[in-house]
Amino acid sequence: MALSSVWNNKMRSFLTMLGIIIGISSVIVLVGIGEGTKAQVTAQIEKLGTNLITVSITGNKTKSISDEELNELKTKPGIKEISPSLSGGNVNVKAGDKSSTTTLEGTTPNYLEIRKMSISSGRFINNRDIENRFKVAVIGVETANNIFGTTNVVGKNMYVNGIEFTVVGVLQSQGSSSAGSSDDKIILPISTAQRLLKTTEIKTFYIEAESKDKVSEAMSYLQLFLNKKYDNNTRNYRIFDQTSLLQTANSTTESLTTMLGGIAAISLIVGGIGIMNIMLVSVIERTREIGIRKAIGAKRSSILLQFLIEAGSISSLGGVLGVLLGFLAAFIAQNMFKMTIVISNNVVIGSFIFSVLVGLVFGIYPANKASKLNPIDALRFE
């Protein structure tokens, strides 16, 4: 009888379950977007290497670290390689009649391995380039396209701040992040960059730990060294490691996912209130029916169960349709808007169970009200 009542009022039943459908599909898609963002951020950070440590010397007047001190640091336990980096900010690059603005970085040959980068064509800078201060450059694919219109540029010449350089290599595409594009940059031998930028002070160092498990040990020695050099003034330097960055990023995206899921879950509650509202109307409409059933011997539990089954059926069917709509919406978003959406089976199952519970909880009051009707009053009801 409960299922027959739901079927005979198809349009009303559908409109009642619409809140549940929208609620579940919203939970699935929004949580999926949060998980997809988390996966993207994690992949970008891990691409840089989980054993990467970055040291930045802050302040214009803070003394930099010498080559002798870097060689001393290389002997410390847990530290495998160190690559200094001289950043020149934005520079003007030109080739033919095309020009652009990009970032410049001067470094050493081991930079490529430490930063987990690779070359798509040509070669990276080598020790001979540094020793002879050769005017050679390795550029990103975006820079190559901006000033040459192609990535087949090895051997071609370009001008950096008016000085001619020869392109010896093109970096493999790294993509973009919140810090900007990793493909729009040029890398010079560190000795050449020092002459170009007229400075020998290097304030950034990339350090590769022996393994992911050795990162903490390497950071401890770095901390001791820097505290000794700068008299325990921690404002003169900053140390970052990928593990800490990954944990921070995961914590942020998890908070975002929880917030999005909570917002979407509100519509499930609204859908449950809609079920309660319609069930109360249904109780009033079917008062005489309830009276007749009780008059011919129906128990209170039977009436209660009938209305609970109706509420549960509406919420369950709404849950199934909501799950299907959620998967469809995720598929459309991934293909049309190129979004990364990761749908978790636990989220799907959890949201479906929650929708059924919402239907039952909000169906208890009208079901209880129907079961308590006095048969005589119900039969007299007009």
Side-chain angles (χ1 to χ4, degrees), residues 350-363:
S351 57
F352 175 76
I353 293 173
F354 184 67
S355 71
V356 175
L357 291 176
V358 164
L360 292 175
V361 168
F362 283 96

Side-chain angles (χ1 to χ4, degrees), residues 260-305:
L260 291 174
I263 292 172
I266 292 173
S267 59
L268 278 175
I269 305 296
V270 174
I273 295 173
I275 290 176
M276 182 171 66
N277 183 44
I278 294 301
M279 295 301 295
L280 284 171
V281 172
S282 181
V283 168
I284 295 172
E285 287 180 347
R286 294 156 63 189
T287 301
R288 285 180 63 83
E289 173 197 327
I290 295 167
I292 292 171
R293 288 198 65 205
K294 296 193 81 170
I296 60 175
K299 296 179 182 179
R300 180 187 167 191
S301 59
S302 299
I303 304 296
L304 181 71
L305 186 61

